[in-house]
């Protein structure tokens, strides 16, 4: 049981290049998330998915696209990288205890090890 | 939009001293979670608080959720070097069961 894995671990891009970050989870979680972490700013939600084939925008979606073609995978794409996208990217997944309701849902998020991306 | 503020940004303590980090939300929360991130690592879930005024303890860690469900705190008694890391609170809106809004985190450094 690997939990949440992310590839690659590190990447350096030139401005304008594109890339895809891959997140995979083997816990059969419905929900998956992409965050970016910048110094002093905590974790900011980029996009998320509540199930296979569905995605939605988070707080900072501009410049990113996502896809969830399979339940276990959540891909984050940068079509034309910019220096402002230099960051550490974390993927996370979560489940919900059925029948409890939003205020009582036990919805711990499990994080991957992160991808450190530098855009020159 | 909803904001979750966390203070202090940094705290440097002598081993054995206590430590507290505070979290305040601009809106009422359905619940709040706390995570710890070791240097170079990823966030790891510590606890979830759901009820107004709730207090939970994990060994030397005490977590509180305010009566109005808009603030929370984490208190560590007698810090150890293993407590080093950044502690994040993350609040969940009343209308969202799966999105968390993270605070900016408090980085704890412990002098041995």
């Amino acid at each position: 049981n690997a939990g949440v894995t992310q590839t690659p671990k590190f990447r350096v891009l030139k401005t304008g290049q594109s890339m895809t970050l891959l997140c995979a989870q083997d816990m059969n979680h419905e929900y998956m998330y992409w965050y970016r972490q910048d110094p002093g700013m905590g974790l900011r939600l980029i996009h998320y998915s509540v199930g296979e084939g569905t995605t939605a925008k988070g707080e900072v979606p501009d410049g990113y696209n996502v896809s969830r073609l399979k339940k276990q995978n959540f891909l984050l794409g940068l079509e034309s990288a910019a220096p402002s996208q230099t960051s550490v990217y974390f993927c996370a997944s979560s489940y919900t205890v059925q029948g409890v309701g939003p205020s009582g849902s036990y919805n711990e998020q499990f994080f991957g090890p992160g991808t450190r991306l530098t855009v020159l | 939009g909803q904001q979750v503020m966390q203070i202090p940004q940094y705290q440097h303590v002598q081993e054995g001293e206590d430590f507290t980090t505070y979290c305040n939300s601009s809106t009422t929360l359905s619940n709040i979670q706390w995570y710890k991130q070791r240097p170079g690592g990823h966030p790891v879930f510590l606890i979830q608080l759901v009820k107004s005024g709730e207090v939970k303890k994990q060994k030397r860690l005490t977590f509180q959720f305010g009566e109005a469900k808009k603030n929370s705190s984490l208190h560590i008694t007698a810090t150890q070097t293993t407590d080093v890391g950044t502690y994040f609170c993350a609040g969940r809106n009343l209308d969202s069961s799966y999105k968390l809004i993270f605070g900016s985190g408090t980085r704890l450094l412990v002098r041995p």
Side-chain angles (χ1 to χ4, degrees), chain A residues 3 15 38 40 54 90 99 104 109:
Chain A
T15 297
D38 302 294
T54 70
F90 286 103
Q109 293 193 7

Side-chain angles (χ1 to χ4, degrees), chain B residues 78-111:
Chain B
T79 55
Q80 300 175 357
T81 54
T82 53
D83 295 325
V84 164
T86 301
Y87 293 85
F88 293 98
C89 62
R92 192 182 309 285
N93 258 339
L94 289 174
D95 61 354
S96 171
S97 63
Y98 41 81
K99 278 199 299 182
L100 292 175
I101 305 296
F102 280 81
S104 54
T106 295
R107 185 177 174 191
L108 173 63
L109 302 171
V110 180
R111 290 188 296 270

